[in-house]
Amino acid sequence: MINLDPNLENCVCKSNHNPHISCQNEYTLLEKGQALQLKPANHREVVKLIPIDGCVINNSTTSKCDGLFLYQNSKNVIYSFLFELKNTEKWPKPVDQIDKVRNLDFYKDLIQSLNILRKNEKFVVVGSYIPTKIEKQKIESIYGIRIISIIRQINAPYPDLKNYI
């Protein structure tokens, strides 16, 4: 089971727009036309979707990414997916937003408390901008993280993170 601090648990998406306007349901976050989802395959899998921007961090001056998926598979292995939803915004801004959150104490404490292995800690940018391979490698090197880049045009089906585990 994924046990969270009560402050984080209060931000977990439950249903349509509850507790945050971007929550489409407990498995999908929609922000300015971009979306990402992670659906459990069966009742033994657990998914918690936490909006970061506007719920965990409710401050307009702090750089932050859009959300965090926590996923526990049927073998009780937990994965985390910090993600940023962008339309045409060029990198490194979305990577910088992810990096800011991954270096916050609440996030580090969460990863540690859930015993999430480094290899199971994922960072995702969804958008229509496609960085070149060289540009992506350079930015990943600067930030010291690997980014899963998911290309999605507006009105395309919502990508499911299950395909990236």
Side-chain angles (χ1 to χ4, degrees):
M1 191 58 163
I2 300 173
N3 294 315
L4 299 176
D5 171 274
N7 292 329
L8 281 180
E9 193 64 52
N10 289 337
C11 282
V12 171
C13 291
K14 293 171 183 55
S15 61
N16 196 19
H17 307 299
N18 183 11
H20 188 273
I21 189 69
S22 295
C23 298
Q24 295 304 291
N25 54 50
E26 62 262 50
Y27 309 121
T28 308
L29 196 82
L30 178 67
E31 173 95 13
K32 296 177 186 162
Q34 281 298 5
L36 189 60
Q37 64 186 2
L38 177 57
K39 293 182 179 179
N42 56 56
H43 68 280
R44 294 182 314 269
E45 296 181 344
V46 177
V47 173
K48 292 202 176 192
L49 170 55
I50 304 167
I52 301 291
D53 187 0
C55 198
V56 175
I57 302 172
N58 205 0
N59 175 335
S60 62
T61 60
T62 302
S63 181
K64 64 233 166 248
C65 61
D66 290 316
L68 169 68
F69 275 103
L70 296 171
Y71 166 72
Q72 183 175 9
N73 66 19
S74 56
K75 296 177 183 174
N76 293 323
V77 177
I78 301 176
Y79 294 80
S80 69
F81 296 88
L82 262 181
F83 64 91
E84 177 61 25
L85 304 172
K86 289 292 183 196
N87 287 316
T88 58
E89 181 115 24
K90 292 188 175 186
W91 291 26
K93 183 177 180 181
V95 179
D96 187 66
Q97 290 173 270
I98 290 169
D99 186 62
K100 292 282 194 280
V101 172
R102 82 176 181 116
N103 287 303
L104 293 174
D105 287 340
F106 94 86
Y107 178 76
K108 291 178 190 177
D109 293 345
L110 177 66
I111 296 302
Q112 185 176 7
S113 72
L114 295 175
N115 296 315
I116 297 174
L117 301 175
R118 186 128 176 97
K119 69 178 183 173
N120 296 340
E121 191 179 357
K122 312 288 185 180
F123 307 100
V124 181
V125 174
V126 178
S128 59
Y129 175 72
I130 304 169
T132 66
K133 185 177 180 180
I134 292 171
E135 180 184 19
K136 185 175 184 267
Q137 288 173 342
K138 181 180 176 186
I139 292 167
E140 288 176 332
S141 177
I142 289 168
Y143 288 95
I145 56 175
R146 289 267 184 243
I147 299 292
I148 298 169
S149 178
I150 301 175
I151 306 308
R152 180 182 175 271
Q153 301 300 325
I154 300 296
N155 298 324
Y158 298 165
D160 194 322
L161 283 174
K162 286 291 279 264
N163 300 322
Y164 299 90
I165 295 174

